[in-house]
Amino acid sequence: MPPRSNPLACALVAVVLAAASGAPAVRAQTAAPANAPVLTLADALDLAGSASPNIDAADAGVRAASAARRVAGLRPNPSLNADIENVGGSRAYNDIEAPKQTVSVGVPVELGGKRSARIALADAQGNRAQIERVAAGADLRLAVTQAYVEAVAADRRLATARDQAAIAAEAVRAAHVRVQAGRASPLEEQRAEVLRISADAAVDRTVRLADLARVNLGRRIGRPVTGALDQPWFDRVDGYGPAPLDADSSLTVATARADEKAAEAQLRLARSQRLPDVTLSAGVRRLPINNDMAAVFGVSVPLPFFNSGASSVAQAGAERDRATALRRAAELENEQAIGQAQADVANAAAAARTAAGPSLAAAQEAARIARIGYREGKFGQLDLLEAERTLAETRSSAIDALAAFHDAQAQLDRLTASARKD
């Protein structure tokens, strides 16, 4: 015979239905106003680009490299020489009219292609600075994306924790009604009270973590994050993976190759410096005897007796060999890292689809059945609480899986970022 309805059962049903319907109300309280603009990931990246000190440092490095290129193309400055001969001597040379005055200009002449070697080295270093600028942008994109993912996930966790706290509070009231009516043991009310206290403590912890996540994101973008975040973007899993990319254009390989080219240019400069430069001079000399003028020409050549430049060439050659070996290692490690990252993204996507799809749907259906069964007197309170707890844990697992997917995707995007981008 089906159980008869009574006022106690009606009150209990009302309490349970309030617990089941309390989650949307809690989420509405945590959501931003309807007219508040949503801060998307693209917006966060745009804001972060203008507020990042790392980008400013990379831009300064590019300007410094450009200035170094102009310096490398300059020729040596000439020198002005003034000589007075035959001053303060004896006999005839003691006369103030005896000294000879000579004024000449010396012009260094670089040999061995030193200027072109300096320019080649400056160009290689400038290319390295440009790659560092692109790498700084890619690093910033990764950091902002990770901060954004954590902020969205923290908001989701907070909503789940508040839902669970609301359900626990309603369960305490339901247990109290049953105990007062003599239909349940006081232990049931105490058990529900313990769960409520734990749920409230979880809300407090989650609030602090959510606030911290928003503060961290705000530091990255240069302004407080008070509005809503892009929740639909967080739920999207399809279409993962980067576009096909030439391995030569990846930042890791491009950086290693730029270092190798700079080392080769440094070796060329070291070789060119083995040939001494010549200084040519020309001037005029006044002869005090008859006040005549005479032309003076000269040449100066350093003698490389002690430092022939061989050691500098050997050092530059070793540095070039080291850069070549590091470039080969970077190519191998980059391919391995990209392959691992692609596998991580695929695994994370599969886990996110399962956790946010079939698993979550099954938990929601189980909770719905438990509520109906509790309303009809077929299930006890523990069955209902277990179903609600499982649903909350499944929601948390889904959030973690989605966050892991977006983090893995961001890591892959960083590894495959092209050095040819602006």
Side-chain angles (χ1 to χ4, degrees):
M1 179 179 297
R4 293 179 298 175
S5 61
N6 53 54
L8 175 62
C10 293
L12 194 57
V13 169
V15 170
V16 175
L17 291 180
S21 61
V26 172
R27 277 190 290 268
Q29 294 172 3
T30 60
N35 58 351
V38 176
L39 179 66
T40 65
L41 177 59
D43 296 335
L45 291 172
D46 291 339
L47 292 171
S50 59
S52 173
N54 292 334
I55 296 297
D56 294 340
D59 289 338
V62 172
R63 294 195 304 271
S66 178
R69 170 61 175 79
R70 294 193 298 271
V71 172
L74 300 177
R75 299 182 183 279
N77 290 323
S79 60
L80 177 64
N81 301 316
D83 297 330
I84 299 179
E85 301 180 20
N86 304 329
V87 177
S90 60
R91 298 183 180 181
Y93 295 103
N94 192 30
D95 192 347
I96 193 65
E97 299 294 334
K100 301 177 182 179
Q101 295 90 31
T102 304
V103 177
S104 63
V105 176
V107 179
V109 178
E110 293 184 308
L111 303 177
K114 294 183 179 65
R115 179 170 177 268
S116 61
R118 287 198 310 271
I119 293 175
L121 177 58
D123 288 339
Q125 292 173 342
N127 181 57
R128 180 66 163 79
Q130 292 286 350
I131 295 175
E132 287 180 354
R133 172 60 178 81
V134 178
D139 290 338
L140 177 64
R141 182 179 181 85
L142 172 61
V144 173
T145 301
Q146 290 176 328
Y148 189 87
V149 169
E150 182 56 33
V152 177
D155 285 352
R156 289 282 186 92
R157 295 186 184 102
L158 178 57
T160 300
R162 286 177 171 169
D163 290 349
Q164 189 68 13
I167 292 171
E170 297 298 338
V172 170
R173 287 190 286 270
H176 180 72
V177 171
R178 290 172 60 90
V179 171
Q180 291 296 322
R183 300 188 59 183
S185 168
L187 181 62
E188 183 173 317
E189 183 177 1
Q190 292 298 322
R191 185 186 297 112
E193 180 65 20
V194 171
L195 294 176
R196 184 194 65 79
I197 294 173
S198 298
D200 290 342
V203 170
D204 292 339
R205 291 193 301 270
T206 310
V207 166
R208 288 190 289 270
L209 293 176
D211 290 342
L212 177 61
R214 282 179 171 261
V215 169
N216 290 336
L217 178 59
R219 291 193 181 102
R220 289 290 183 182
I221 66 177
R223 75 175 193 185
V225 180
T226 57
L229 301 178
D230 193 354
Q231 298 291 338
W233 169 84
F234 189 72
D235 291 324
R236 285 196 295 270
V237 178
D238 295 334
Y240 66 89
L245 173 70
D246 183 5
D248 294 343
S249 67
S250 68
L251 281 170
T252 301
V253 175
T255 299
R257 293 193 173 185
D259 289 338
E260 182 182 21
K261 290 181 180 180
E264 290 175 352
Q266 185 65 53
L267 176 60
R268 176 186 169 188
L269 179 61
R271 287 171 174 168
S272 69
Q273 290 175 340
R274 295 198 64 185
L275 184 62
D277 295 335
V278 175
T279 300
L280 303 178
S281 61
V284 294
R285 173 175 295 175
R286 187 181 71 84
L287 303 176
I289 298 177
N290 50 12
N291 206 27
D292 288 341
M293 307 294 291
V296 178
F297 299 97
V299 59
S300 175
V301 180
L303 302 178
F305 286 158
F306 304 108
N307 183 8
S308 64
S311 297
S312 297
V313 172
Q315 178 184 0
E319 292 291 343
R320 190 273 314 273
D321 295 341
R322 176 175 177 271
T324 300
L326 291 177
R327 187 262 305 164
R328 291 163 47 204
E331 291 174 347
L332 294 175
E333 293 174 359
N334 185 61
E335 293 178 358
Q336 181 179 357
I338 291 177
Q340 181 63 52
Q342 288 174 335
D344 292 341
V345 170
N347 292 335
R353 291 195 187 97
T354 301
S359 296
L360 183 58
Q364 289 173 338
E365 179 64 13
R368 186 187 69 85
I369 294 173
R371 293 170 192 145
I372 296 175
Y374 187 78
R375 180 183 60 193
E376 296 179 352
K378 297 179 179 179
F379 298 144
Q381 182 196 38
L382 293 180
D383 296 327
L384 177 61
L385 292 178
E386 178 64 21
E388 296 291 0
R389 183 189 63 81
T390 302
L391 177 58
E393 291 179 352
T394 305
R395 285 176 178 172
S396 179
S397 298
I399 295 170
D400 293 342
L402 288 170
F405 163 74
H406 289 294
D407 182 77
Q409 180 64 64
Q411 295 281 358
L412 178 59
D413 290 341
R414 172 59 182 88
L415 287 172
T416 58
S418 175
R420 300 191 181 104
K421 294 181 181 179
D422 297 331

